[in-house]
């Protein structure tokens, strides 16, 4: 398998040292994901990938 991956055009094998220099993080990690009363995902864009909400009304309609 390794040999077939190395034969792909424009592929570079990273050394352990160059791998240590790669940094990354989840954006907007401070904002929580949630669900609205109508079942829509709320929060930053990443939330639409991370969670799913039930598609029903779950909030007390008297408080709206």
């Amino acid at each position: 398998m390794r040999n077939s991956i190395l034969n792909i055009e424009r592929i570079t094998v990273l050394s352990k040292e160059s791998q240590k220099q790669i940094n990354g993080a989840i954006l907007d990690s401070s904002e929580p994901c949630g669900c609205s009363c109508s079942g829509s995902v709320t929060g930053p864009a990443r939330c639409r990938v991370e969670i799913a909400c039930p598609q029903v009304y779950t909030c007390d309609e008297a408080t709206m």
Side-chain angles (χ1 to χ4, degrees), residues 25-35 41-53:
I26 296 174
L27 300 176
D28 298 326
S29 62
S30 61
E31 293 184 55
C33 299
C35 297
V41 175
T42 60
R46 67 173 170 79
C47 294
R48 290 188 291 276
V49 176
E50 293 179 1
I51 69 168
C53 298

Side-chain angles (χ1 to χ4, degrees), residues 5-43:
I5 291 174
L6 295 177
N7 292 331
I8 299 173
E9 292 180 31
R10 297 186 308 228
I11 294 292
T12 302
V13 177
L14 298 175
S15 67
K16 290 189 180 214
E17 187 58 38
S18 62
Q19 291 177 28
K20 290 178 185 177
Q21 296 174 2
I22 297 173
N23 294 320
I26 296 174
L27 300 176
D28 298 326
S29 62
S30 61
E31 293 184 55
C33 299
C35 297
S36 69
C37 292
S38 63
S40 298
V41 175
T42 60

